[in-house]
Amino acid sequence: MPKFVIERTVPGAGQMSADQLREAARGSNDVIAAMSPRVSWQQSYVTDDKIFCVYVADNEESVREHARRAGVPCDVMHRVSAVIDPATGE
C-alpha cells in the first residue's frame, strides 16, 4: 500500500503534555481500528505548531476520511515515492 506524509497544523502542538499526546493518539487509534486494514499509522513528528504523520493507506481518500473521523486537520498530504537513509549512499 502507498505511504503518505501528512502535515497537520496544530497550534501549540510542541507544548502538549504527555497526557494530551496520549489522548490524541488514542483518538486516532480508535478510528484506525474501525478503518483497518485500509489505514495504518506508522509514526508522527511533533514540532512547535505542526504534526507530521506517516501513514500507510490504500489511497488518499482513506487518509482524509481518517482525519475527518478523528477530528484532526489534514492540511497537506504527500504520497511517498521512495524512502532513503544513510545506507542508500553506501
Side-chain angles (χ1 to χ4, degrees), residues 14-25:
Q15 289 71 48
M16 292 173 72
S17 69
D19 287 340
Q20 289 171 309
L21 292 170
R22 185 177 306 108
E23 285 306 309

Side-chain angles (χ1 to χ4, degrees), residues 5-9 50 73-78:
V5 176
I6 301 100
E7 179 180 337
R8 307 183 193 284
T9 300
K50 302 238 183 222
C74 182
D75 302 321
V76 181
M77 181 180 353
H78 300 277

